[in-house]
Amino acid sequence: GVGNMGGPMAANLVKAGHAVKGYDLSQTAIDRLVEAGGSVAKDLKDAASEVEVVVTMLPAGEHVREVYQKTVFGVAKSGSLLIDCSTIDVESSREVHAQAAVAGMDMLDAPVSGGVTGAAAGTLAFMCGGSEQAFERAKPLLDVMGANIVHAGAAGDGQAAKICNNIMSFTNLIVGLDMPTLSVLLIM
């Protein structure tokens, strides 16, 4: 997707001189990609065909599994690099990684932190899981979109690191609240 997060990430890749072909269900998102200098894929198959790298930013594990299983693995070239920047469950991530290996493709789970502002500024944090080879192949692209890129370990470990990051962020939020506000949140 090239929506709220994927759109600015794609725009930063275009600014860095990369050819970006994107797809999204939202016409507004597609229009923004074109304004940034990217090209439009007619569908998911077109988006994953004849490219060296496929980057996905999707809402949930079920969407990641569906996009990769029903489309990407059937049309992407053997040897392609797959980077999933979605924040999803570890199990789905590891399942898709295993299927990528069978298809002869390098894969990296690389969920992000930093929000829309970080995506636009190119200052995202990427927590990456996958082989060292996939990480090294992805790093030059991630450097364009982020400021902090960490290889957390094997397949799915980027997702595990992101879960820990979210827990720490929520803990900091709760600790910073005054007692009446905290009491209301705990009752809910």
Side-chain angles (χ1 to χ4, degrees), residues 31-56:
D31 292 344
R32 281 193 222 124
L33 174 64
V34 171
E35 288 172 21
S39 64
V40 180
K42 63 182 177 188
D43 56 27
L44 284 173
K45 286 182 180 182
D46 182 36
S49 297
E50 302 304 317
V51 296
E52 296 173 27
V53 181
V54 174
V55 180
T56 50

Side-chain angles (χ1 to χ4, degrees), residues 68 73 82 95-107:
Y68 280 93
F73 294 139
L82 312 175
E95 178 183 328
V96 175
H97 269 270
Q99 293 165 343
V102 169
M105 300 173 194
D106 283 335
M107 183 155 195

Side-chain angles (χ1 to χ4, degrees), residues 17-188:
H18 297 283
V20 176
K21 177 171 62 168
Y23 179 75
D24 200 289
L25 297 176
S26 164
Q27 187 60 48
T28 302
I30 291 296
D31 292 344
R32 281 193 222 124
L33 174 64
V34 171
E35 288 172 21
S39 64
V40 180
K42 63 182 177 188
D43 56 27
L44 284 173
K45 286 182 180 182
D46 182 36
S49 297
E50 302 304 317
V51 296
E52 296 173 27
V53 181
V54 174
V55 180
T56 50
M57 175 63 87
L58 300 164
E62 65 189 82
H63 305 110
V64 171
R65 287 190 313 272
E66 181 176 337
V67 164
Y68 280 93
Q69 293 167 352
K70 292 185 177 177
T71 305
V72 175
F73 294 139
V75 298
K77 299 184 290 189
S78 180
S80 293
L81 173 62
L82 312 175
I83 306 171
D84 180 41
C85 296
S86 315
T87 297
I88 63 171
D89 61 286
V90 174
E91 184 179 322
S92 290
S93 183
R94 289 184 176 154
E95 178 183 328
V96 175
H97 269 270
Q99 293 165 343
V102 169
M105 300 173 194
D106 283 335
M107 183 155 195
L108 198 66
D109 55 290
V112 301
S113 181
V116 175
T117 303
T123 58
L124 292 170
F126 286 89
M127 292 146 272
C128 304
S131 71
E132 187 67 38
Q133 175 178 312
F135 179 73
E136 290 304 321
R137 286 182 68 193
K139 187 137 181 357
L141 297 171
L142 300 179
D143 283 337
V144 169
M145 300 180 285
N148 297 301
I149 295 92
V150 177
H151 188 210
D157 289 352
Q159 297 298 340
K162 176 63 189 270
I163 291 166
C164 293
N165 180 74
N166 286 355
I167 290 169
M168 290 186 329
S169 295
F170 291 132
T171 300
N172 286 335
L173 175 67
I174 290 172
V175 169
L177 297 175
D178 58 21
M179 286 309 285
T181 305
L182 181 58
S183 296
V184 170
L185 284 175
L186 291 175
I187 292 169
M188 298 172 110

